Amino acid sequence: MNVERLRNTNYGPAEAFAYFTEACETVQLSEAMLDRCIPGELHRSHFYIVNHLVRKGDGQTPLQITSAMHVTKATVSNSLAVLEKRGFIETRPSATDARSKQVFLTESGREFQKQAIGTLTRLFGSFLREEDYRIMGEALPSLVTIRKLLHRNSNATPD
């Protein structure tokens, strides 16, 4: 990245593209690290669903999970089948809608999430230093703001 661009105070579409390019590369690198922290027969998509349920709570429908993950119903359906087979989740009939199911984490699922995060945390701890944590802590509020902006505009289309 051009360091002069970082000193620029007149930001526009080109800088937005550069921002998202950096964000995408950061995600790709961190996902590669996450992949090394998850048992071989599982995928990060499985971890993301379990992590989502830990964060947002049990009882979500597959459709709610599909919406939150921004993937297809088939992808979530396949992932839920794998997670259920592994004993990480249970699907139960919805108490309010007989046509729907709800997804609940098991203790094994919660343990899987804790172990993956623990492994990833140790990996990060092997190379991140105090200054790196400070930089990330300062950047976090801005990332949350951008994520919320993108979420609110997730259905936007080009002219």
Side-chain angles (χ1 to χ4, degrees):
M1 163 162 273
N2 182 342
V3 176
E4 284 304 312
R5 177 178 270 172
L6 296 174
R7 293 188 182 110
N8 183 2
T9 57
N10 297 316
Y11 300 112
E15 287 73 27
F17 182 79
Y19 176 90
F20 288 114
T21 297
E22 289 296 323
C24 286
E25 288 185 35
T26 301
V27 167
Q28 289 170 346
L29 290 166
S30 66
E31 285 180 335
M33 289 180 176
L34 176 60
D35 288 342
R36 292 192 298 273
C37 297
I38 296 174
E41 64 278 6
L42 296 171
H43 302 286
R44 79 176 81 105
S45 59
H46 302 133
F47 172 79
Y48 289 155
I49 290 173
V50 169
N51 196 55
H52 172 75
L53 290 169
V54 168
R55 289 178 51 241
K56 298 295 184 175
D58 282 330
Q60 293 196 28
T61 66
L63 190 58
Q64 289 171 313
I65 295 169
T66 297
S67 177
M69 298 289 111
H70 303 281
V71 295
T72 65
K73 288 189 268 186
T75 298
V76 168
S77 180
N78 290 335
S79 292
L80 292 178
V82 169
L83 291 169
E84 192 156 32
K85 184 177 178 181
R86 291 293 301 246
F88 292 167
I89 63 163
E90 294 176 354
T91 55
R92 303 177 198 154
S94 171
T96 58
D97 181 358
R99 299 167 295 158
S100 186
K101 297 186 290 186
Q102 290 178 293
V103 181
F104 296 85
L105 280 172
T106 64
E107 264 319 299
S108 294
R110 292 178 196 285
E111 186 58 31
F112 162 67
Q113 187 252 9
K114 286 179 189 173
Q115 286 178 356
I117 289 175
T119 303
L120 190 58
T121 300
R122 285 191 303 280
L123 178 59
F124 287 152
S126 72
F127 63 88
L128 292 174
R129 301 294 171 243
E130 187 175 326
E131 175 68 6
D132 303 319
Y133 291 121
R134 185 189 62 74
I135 290 167
M136 288 185 283
E138 290 173 358
L140 188 56
S142 298
L143 287 172
V144 169
T145 299
I146 297 300
R147 178 191 45 81
K148 288 178 179 179
L149 174 67
L150 290 173
H151 184 76
R152 283 192 310 270
N153 293 281
S154 62
N155 293 323
T157 58
D159 293 338

